[in-house]
Amino acid sequence: NEFLLAPLASLEALARTRPDLGRWDEATAASAQRAVYAFVVAGEGRVRARMFAPGLAGGEDPATGSAAGPLGAYAARYLGLDRLSIVQGVEMGRPSLLHVDASGPRPRVGGASVIVAGGELRLPT
């Protein structure tokens, strides 16, 4: 999965982050997802993150496992961290915790979940 990973300097900077939708296409042109995963390393293996994508309701996702894996690969390669605990969704009132193990050839992402919606898809026969 391609995500534009944006390391920030502080938790305060992360809290203040707001997407500039007028320049969104220009800023995300390098990513097939057109999404930005902003993050701060808050301590050894602890990360706070926010994922912005204009196509989402409210423009932000409270827990993005598909971005946590690439962040795990980045952290293993550039930060020397092969295990992460990622807190996300705090600023939108939906705190989430994701765990990433990047010690193997492919990052593994996990965590508990809560079903917030359900549905059924019926295909014509």
Side-chain angles (χ1 to χ4, degrees), residues 69-109:
L71 178 57
Y74 171 92
R77 183 171 187 171
Y78 297 108
L79 306 176
L81 300 171
D82 62 3
R83 295 189 192 285
L84 300 177
S85 293
I86 303 171
V87 175
Q88 186 180 333
V90 172
E91 289 78 9
M92 59 188 303
R94 294 177 59 192
S96 304
L97 176 62
L98 299 159
H99 300 285
V100 180
D101 179 350
S103 62
R106 289 178 173 254
R108 296 177 50 89
V109 178

Side-chain angles (χ1 to χ4, degrees), residues 13-33:
L14 183 68
R16 289 191 317 266
T17 300
R18 302 287 179 269
D20 180 347
L21 298 180
R23 300 186 67 194
W24 193 259
D25 288 341
E26 175 188 355
T28 61
S31 170
Q33 295 285 354

Side-chain angles (χ1 to χ4, degrees), residues 6-15 17 37-43 45-50 71 79 84-87 91:
L8 299 180
S10 68
L11 292 172
E12 292 79 16
L14 183 68
T17 300
Y37 199 54
F39 68 94
V40 173
V41 178
R46 293 187 331 253
V47 173
R48 279 280 300 278
R50 296 178 74 185
L71 178 57
L79 306 176
L84 300 177
S85 293
I86 303 171
V87 175
E91 289 78 9

